[in-house]
Amino acid sequence: MVLNCRHVWDRISDYIDGTLDPEVRADVERHLAHCEICSAVLDSTRNIIILMADDRVFELPVDFSQRLHARLDAVLSSEAPDSA
Amino acid sequence: MTTSPPGAELQQQRETALIAAILSGEREKFHDLIRPYERQVYHTALALLKNETEAEDVAQEAILRAYRKLASFRGDARFSTWLLAITLNEARTCLRAEKRASLDSLDSTDYGDGVVTPAQLTDWRELPSEALEREEVRSLMQQAIAELPVTFREVVILRDMEELSVNETAEALGISISLVKVRLHRARLLLQKALAPRLRVAWKPEKKRGVIRRLPWF
Ligand SMILES: [Zn+2]
């Protein structure tokens, strides 16, 4: 099947996750081979997803962990977990 | 998609043992159980609430709740999925309490049937992960995530930021796998649409300056 750009955009997420049927995947790849726009849409989307997974996007507040474990200490020493 | 990453099984065995120990009285082991996930819990809360102080409170509350409810954890889900589901519930409660009005206007039903058109560029210059060392790039990313409707944001946080599988994301959110895929797709295109043009402007490798500096030596 010959896909237009819209068809390709609709499949970008599944393409990136590798969940397209092999036939559809081949159709998408055929389109990508000659379409600069869809190639750039794919590359930029994939790039953004990779950056998104980086811990540096949101940094932990200073001493977050110390405050959390101090609060836990107080609770752990005075309370047992609820019984099931 | 459904296969466990290497080491996941070992980690699960370690967690099962820790949970059994905590429930039989070695309470202080809860510190060890939670340590690998505290960052994830905070990120999840922050991405939903968009406020650092609230996110820290919600993260702490969620973790305390997980401790108190530990006996109700069933080994059929991963501990991290269960913990993030608790975090999302705490964060949603907080959102509902404070921002009912603005939450309604951010509802993703606006995008329900609509198609998202990505930003159309003709080339893309790869941003390496070092780009995130720049404050400008980080804040562009944070802003784009914050602008997503909340139901899309939840999916993108779990799947793309915390790297849960599609199945785990569905489980943590209590929605179907197909709904996760639909929301994820739209969220990713919305992020591309918002970010691709801005990142392209923000990220310019400083090659030229290097060349100019090197010139006198030739
Ligand atoms: Zn195209």
Side-chain angles (χ1 to χ4, degrees):
Chain A
M1 181 183 166
V2 176
L3 303 180
N4 64 30
C5 295
R6 177 88 253 166
H7 291 142
V8 172
W9 301 340
D10 289 345
R11 289 164 178 76
I12 284 277
S13 186
D14 283 328
Y15 181 82
I16 289 171
D17 282 345
T19 51
L20 285 177
D21 294 336
E23 229 172 277
V24 182
R25 187 174 182 86
D27 289 338
V28 169
E29 273 164 3
R30 244 189 313 277
H31 180 101
L32 286 170
H34 68 77
C35 181
E36 282 185 338
I37 291 177
C38 288
S39 299
V41 169
L42 172 67
D43 290 346
S44 55
T45 307
R46 193 153 36 196
N47 197 172
I48 288 164
I49 291 172
I50 290 168
L51 294 176
M52 213 52 99
D54 196 295
D55 278 341
R56 280 171 288 189
V57 176
F58 291 113
E59 282 167 346
L60 278 181
V62 178
D63 295 334
F64 169 84
S65 202
Q66 284 88 324
R67 286 192 295 275
L68 169 67
H69 287 276
R71 183 147 180 226
L72 272 177
D73 268 331
V75 172
L76 298 185
S77 62
S78 63
E79 269 182 58
D82 300 351
S83 44
Chain B
M1 286 275 98
T2 48
T3 52
S4 305
E9 215 166 296
L10 266 179
Q11 191 184 12
Q12 211 158 348
Q13 284 169 12
R14 179 183 160 271
E15 285 172 0
T16 307
L18 277 174
I19 291 167
I22 296 159
L23 291 175
S24 64
E26 296 179 63
R27 299 179 200 167
E28 71 290 348
K29 288 200 169 161
F30 189 75
H31 290 288
D32 301 328
L33 179 66
I34 217 70
R35 208 164 267 122
Y37 303 116
E38 52 192 59
R39 184 176 266 278
Q40 253 187 340
V41 167
Y42 175 76
H43 281 165
T44 303
L46 179 64
L48 219 60
L49 297 165
K50 304 188 256 182
N51 172 304
E52 291 187 9
T53 312
E54 280 182 353
E56 180 162 351
D57 285 347
V58 161
Q60 288 189 2
E61 289 305 325
I63 287 169
L64 288 179
R65 190 172 178 81
Y67 170 70
R68 294 186 175 116
K69 299 285 165 209
L70 195 59
S72 70
F73 170 69
R74 302 271 167 259
D76 47 5
R78 285 174 59 185
F79 176 72
S80 57
T81 309
W82 181 75
L83 179 63
L84 291 181
I86 293 176
T87 308
L88 286 166
N89 275 333
E90 290 286 330
R92 284 168 176 163
T93 306
C94 184
L95 272 182
R96 269 196 298 271
E98 292 181 11
K99 302 174 184 169
R100 185 182 294 271
S102 60
L103 183 62
D104 289 346
S105 66
L106 284 174
D107 199 86
S108 62
T109 48
D110 297 349
Y111 299 86
D113 303 313
V115 280
V116 182
T117 300
Q120 294 161 55
L121 321 156
T122 51
D123 64 336
W124 177 254
R125 194 176 43 219
E126 183 87 9
L127 269 80
S129 63
E130 298 90 84
L132 291 169
E133 275 151 28
R134 283 203 206 158
E135 171 62 34
E136 189 189 3
V137 171
R138 281 202 303 275
S139 65
L140 281 175
M141 307 266 305
Q142 291 165 2
Q143 196 188 330
I145 295 164
E147 283 166 2
L148 289 175
V150 68
T151 51
F152 288 10
R153 203 154 70 229
E154 292 175 337
V155 170
V156 115
I157 296 160
L158 296 179
R159 176 75 182 110
D160 287 340
M161 296 184 61
E162 305 310 329
E163 298 179 277
L164 270 61
S165 69
V166 168
N167 291 24
E168 288 163 352
T169 304
E171 204 172 326
L173 289 169
I175 59 178
S176 69
I177 287 169
S178 59
L179 192 53
V180 168
K181 287 186 177 175
V182 169
R183 288 182 182 170
L184 182 64
H185 174 71
R186 298 203 177 129
R188 284 169 166 178
L189 282 192
L190 283 172
L191 287 173
Q192 190 274 355
K193 187 178 187 173
L195 280 171
R198 295 183 214 164
L199 287 177
R200 219 150 86 121
V201 175
W203 179 249
K204 290 191 186 114
E206 292 169 4
K207 271 181 194 154
K208 273 181 193 152
R209 208 182 297 162
V211 170
I212 290 163
R213 251 194 245 117
R214 237 176 281 127
L215 274 176
W217 300 98
F218 281 96

